[in-house]
Amino acid sequence: MRGARVVAIAVVPDDLSKIKEILQKISDVDRMDLILTLGKWDWLHSKDVTPEATKELIEKETPSQLYVMMQEILKFF
């Protein structure tokens, strides 16, 4: 991505309120234009609440961006 840079990384426990708190800070205080979140990779045994926390805070979903990112990632496999 041209002009993009990583300016913050946070590792947060699977706690809905803690995830929302960090996302809110990154969005409102740090004024980030784009926030990417990743939950656990072990979906079968996971109690990952990252999607739920994220969904409670977003103003608008952009599913088309998700599909483009997935297509680009699959080029590496």
Side-chain angles (χ1 to χ4, degrees):
M1 293 184 342
R2 252 179 272 163
R5 59 191 168 101
V6 176
V7 295
I9 296 175
V11 178
V12 184
D14 285 326
D15 179 287
L16 191 72
S17 62
K18 288 182 182 181
I19 296 170
K20 287 172 57 176
E21 178 184 327
I22 293 296
L23 290 174
Q24 198 78 50
K25 178 194 175 294
I26 292 172
S27 172
D28 296 346
V29 176
D30 299 336
R31 309 283 297 161
M32 297 296 151
D33 294 324
L34 175 66
I35 301 170
L36 302 176
T37 61
L38 297 171
K40 289 184 180 177
W41 291 92
D42 184 6
W43 294 309
L44 292 176
H45 303 99
S46 174
K47 294 182 181 178
D48 180 23
V49 294
T50 304
E52 290 83 359
T54 304
K55 198 162 191 131
E56 287 185 24
L57 295 174
I58 61 174
E59 294 175 9
K60 184 175 183 178
E61 290 189 53
T62 54
S64 59
Q65 287 182 343
L66 171 64
Y67 300 129
V68 171
M69 287 190 301
M70 289 172 61
Q71 286 177 328
E72 291 300 313
I73 289 168
L74 289 174
K75 290 178 181 178
F76 294 98
F77 294 97

